[in-house]
Amino acid sequence: MKRRDFVSLLSAAAGSSILWGCRKEQLGIQEAGIDMMSARGGGTIATRYPLKFPTTVTPSALTLESKLATSDLGGGMISNVWAYNGQFPGPLIRANKGDNVNIQLKNSLPEETITHWHGMIVDHHNDGQPMSSIIPGFTYNYSFTINQRAALNFYHPHPHMLTGKQVYLGQSGGFIINDAEEAALNLPSGPYELPLIIRDATLDGNNNLTYKPSSGGMIGKIPLVNGTRSPYLNVERSVYRFRVLNGANARIFGLVLSNNATMRLIGNDGGLLAASVDLNRIDMANGERTDILIDFRNYPNGTTIMLRDLRSGWDLLEFRINSITISGELPVTSSVITALTNPVTTRQFSFDGMSKINGREYDMERIDWSVPFGVTEKWIFKTSGNAPHPVHVHGASFQVVSRTGGRNQLFPWESGWKDTVLLEDRETVEVLVRFDAFKGVYLMHCHKLEHEDMGMMANFEVI
Ligand SMILES: [Cu+2]
């Protein structure tokens, strides 16, 4: 907590002598106490700032400029960032299945970059892989038709050895696809459907994001939601749909509500689940997405509820119920997920140390295996240590069929279609995958971005 915030907090808490005492000589003790409360989750006391939202854009004729900018992290705390179109996080792209995407990426960063559409099934040219990186001052044109089910996807840079730094400094955003199946469900929409990009960060003495990864990846000291520190969100007594992305480089979040209420999980990486499920905890590795309904109808006006991360103990986002009128419904959702079956080939991949898959580091020029087009395969992910490794596959969604060792179970947020699955120490995870959209070179890698940058990544070719 910065001194300025502490002072404003003191004036805000002036009437709360029971909590904080009023004797000025206690100030030093109080400051330490408040610091601890702030870090440990005394959320009703800390100064909080309005949750920011990115602007929504369509991808039909979009220019995305990767450039240096500044962003207000909340309360006038200005930080230098690397932002798409000057926004941190980047603009929220929204389109329908069947729409044409025409995006020009302009590189105004001081180093090479390329943007990848994590979760989107596109051909090699449009996938934004490291070999497609462009140098400063150049542009890259993406053009494709969206042909996949409704989902929240994640756009971010993918240049070799620079991904972690660029994502960390602010290069990330959401890409929502809508479709007719989803529209028929009448889910909360408009102001009741909101993106939450959750990540961590460490600020230097000038409040700038500072990138200092360790062997376990870049683990930041504070949470940010939509680029906002200590955020709050005014909500009505209604049902909200939150499109949640873990946009951290390396941190895993265990999401809970402070009153232990359930959240209705309706979707994940690849869209709607076969059936919605009520949960009071949802874990998300970096790169994973969840689609969550939260029902605020039964709380009196003025109630506050905190979205917390149980793994760190952090308060992430305070919901402030701010209406008397009750509206909305909490739908039970379902969707048709056709199970992949009868794999014809089994492949094993060991995620070794911090930089290798099956004993080899990434080589942009090397194709490590070939996959026949349109054939179901079983891929088995293991680790020899240094997990967690969130394993991400380009070019197709997969279905997770088992986890043995470690947590030794699958979780509801791992059903349906996935593109990222968490591999913790001692775990073996089996997935079924079929590449039936495009032939060409794609990537499989650890989505702990520092592992990816160190070489825990491989090219394969769909033939
Ligand atoms: Cu890893």
Side-chain angles (χ1 to χ4, degrees), residues 353 386 388-390 446 448 451 456:
N386 289 92
H389 304 295
C446 178
K448 181 178 284 183
H451 287 184
M456 189 174 270

Side-chain angles (χ1 to χ4, degrees), residues 244-308:
V244 189
L245 159 66
N246 180 345
N249 282 36
R251 184 182 288 276
I252 300 162
F253 293 106
L255 303 179
V256 295
L257 294 172
S258 55
N259 61 354
N260 205 34
T262 56
M263 301 170 274
R264 181 160 292 176
L265 179 75
I266 64 169
N268 60 357
D269 301 358
L272 293 167
L273 304 180
S276 57
V277 54
D278 291 347
L279 300 168
N280 48 26
R281 174 172 177 162
I282 298 171
D283 280 38
M284 296 181 69
N286 37 304
E288 289 188 303
R289 288 87 71 204
T290 55
D291 196 343
I292 298 170
L293 302 179
I294 300 183
D295 185 355
F296 296 110
R297 291 175 301 172
N298 295 323
Y299 304 114
N301 186 23
T303 307
T304 62
I305 299 169
M306 191 66 75
L307 179 67
R308 288 211 166 110

Side-chain angles (χ1 to χ4, degrees), residues 215 351-356 383 385-391 423 445-452 456:
S215 60
F351 289 74
D352 304 325
M354 297 176 291
S355 63
K356 292 175 179 167
T383 175
N386 289 92
H389 304 295
V391 178
L423 188 61
H445 61 87
C446 178
H447 214 279
K448 181 178 284 183
L449 299 180
E450 288 67 35
H451 287 184
E452 169 184 338
M456 189 174 270

Side-chain angles (χ1 to χ4, degrees), residues 198-219:
I198 303 173
R199 56 166 288 176
D200 55 359
T202 298
L203 306 181
D204 67 13
N206 296 316
N207 298 328
N208 293 318
L209 296 177
T210 176
Y211 184 61
K212 288 185 179 170
S214 68
S215 60
M218 174 65 219
I219 300 291

Side-chain angles (χ1 to χ4, degrees), residues 377-381 393 398-402 421 429-433:
E377 300 201 343
K378 177 189 284 186
W379 288 12
I380 303 174
F381 306 133
V393 177
F398 55 73
Q399 294 176 354
V400 188
V401 293
S402 71
V421 65
V429 172
E430 296 186 343
V431 307
L432 296 178
V433 63

Side-chain angles (χ1 to χ4, degrees), residues 112-297:
E112 65 175 287
T113 194
I114 190 71
T115 297
H116 165 60
W117 319 98
H118 178 136
M120 298 183 68
I121 314 296
V122 295
D123 63 279
H124 171 84
H125 170 85
N126 285 297
D127 198 39
Q129 299 176 17
M131 57 280 267
S132 299
S133 292
I134 51 170
I135 60 173
F138 280 68
T139 59
Y140 193 88
N141 292 314
Y142 300 88
S143 179
F144 57 90
T145 301
I146 295 173
N147 184 24
Q148 64 188 93
R149 58 204 303 262
L152 167 63
N153 301 289
F154 173 24
Y155 68 93
H156 64 76
H158 215 310
H160 188 36
M161 302 174 78
L162 297 170
T163 297
K165 173 184 160 193
Q166 292 185 9
V167 172
Y168 178 83
L169 291 175
Q171 294 271 286
S172 73
F175 193 138
I176 291 177
I177 299 172
N178 297 116
D179 69 9
E181 182 201 27
E182 177 198 40
L185 293 171
N186 286 316
L187 296 168
S189 62
Y192 304 98
E193 182 198 6
L194 301 171
L196 299 180
I197 300 180
I198 303 173
R199 56 166 288 176
D200 55 359
T202 298
L203 306 181
D204 67 13
N206 296 316
N207 298 328
N208 293 318
L209 296 177
T210 176
Y211 184 61
K212 288 185 179 170
S214 68
S215 60
M218 174 65 219
I219 300 291
K221 292 181 177 169
I222 63 164
L224 297 175
V225 183
N226 295 351
T228 318
R229 62 178 177 137
S230 300
Y232 75 87
L233 175 68
N234 286 324
V235 294
E236 297 175 19
R237 296 180 69 182
S238 189
V239 178
Y240 282 75
R241 181 184 185 191
F242 293 104
R243 315 299 302 268
V244 189
L245 159 66
N246 180 345
N249 282 36
R251 184 182 288 276
I252 300 162
F253 293 106
L255 303 179
V256 295
L257 294 172
S258 55
N259 61 354
N260 205 34
T262 56
M263 301 170 274
R264 181 160 292 176
L265 179 75
I266 64 169
N268 60 357
D269 301 358
L272 293 167
L273 304 180
S276 57
V277 54
D278 291 347
L279 300 168
N280 48 26
R281 174 172 177 162
I282 298 171
D283 280 38
M284 296 181 69
N286 37 304
E288 289 188 303
R289 288 87 71 204
T290 55
D291 196 343
I292 298 170
L293 302 179
I294 300 183
D295 185 355
F296 296 110
R297 291 175 301 172

Side-chain angles (χ1 to χ4, degrees), residues 57-64 85 93-95 99-105 141-144 175:
V57 298
T58 64
S60 55
L62 177 66
T63 297
L64 277 183
N85 293 0
I93 304 172
R94 192 187 273 276
D99 284 355
N100 292 319
V101 172
N102 285 289
I103 297 175
Q104 182 179 71
L105 173 70
N141 292 314
Y142 300 88
S143 179
F144 57 90
F175 193 138

